Amino acid sequence: MDPGTGLQDVEFPDQMPADLDITNQSSPGATEENMPGLLPAVDFSVDMMYDVGSEWDTALESLNARDASTGAKELHLLEICVGTGTGKKTRTFLAYLKDYKPRGPIKGNVAMRATWRLMSTVAE
């Protein structure tokens, strides 16, 4: 699908792992020791201009719906791409659409924010 109408700047999400303290009484130099923990699931938001009934609006409204019997949301592969040509960097995440809602000024153009919950990176 082509990029959404009025898509704003995109930045890769920060999945910096928390440090795990592995210090013990035999740590060298009586200094704390750490190792990286698990990568956290993070929220990733994209702002775009509201284009009622567009292909993007219809798709995001559908993805934002919960399963009627379980209340769950469907998992998807979400590809985030920054740059062009040889400077292009792409990552693909396992994700679900956490929320799709309007935001912005009372008067003027209405923007929409799609917030995804990103879990594991499946391709870089």
Side-chain angles (χ1 to χ4, degrees):
M1 199 179 326
D2 291 332
T5 302
L7 188 63
Q8 304 298 309
D9 292 341
V10 176
E11 180 179 320
F12 278 131
D14 183 3
Q15 279 191 299
M16 188 181 308
D19 289 333
L20 298 178
D21 185 357
I22 59 168
T23 308
N24 60 59
Q25 293 301 320
S26 61
S27 292
T31 304
E32 290 181 353
E33 292 183 280
N34 291 284
M35 64 181 272
L38 298 174
L39 294 176
V42 296
D43 289 347
F44 172 71
S45 295
V46 179
D47 294 339
M48 63 198 81
M49 298 310 297
Y50 186 37
D51 187 5
V52 181
S54 68
E55 183 180 8
W56 272 98
D57 181 51
T58 303
L60 290 169
E61 285 289 353
S62 174
L63 292 174
N64 198 35
R66 293 179 174 271
D67 182 277
S69 61
T70 65
K73 289 200 174 184
E74 192 174 351
L75 295 176
H76 300 276
L77 293 177
L78 180 67
E79 184 177 90
I80 301 172
C81 181
V82 176
T84 59
T86 57
K88 184 170 145 177
K89 182 156 180 72
T90 302
R91 284 193 189 143
T92 305
F93 298 89
L94 182 62
Y96 66 89
L97 184 62
K98 190 172 177 181
D99 197 18
Y100 177 60
K101 64 184 175 191
R103 64 173 298 278
I106 293 173
K107 295 181 180 180
N109 294 331
V110 175
M112 295 296 283
R113 174 170 285 164
T115 301
W116 293 85
R117 173 55 58 110
L118 306 181
M119 292 170 280
S120 61
T121 302
V122 293
E124 282 195 49

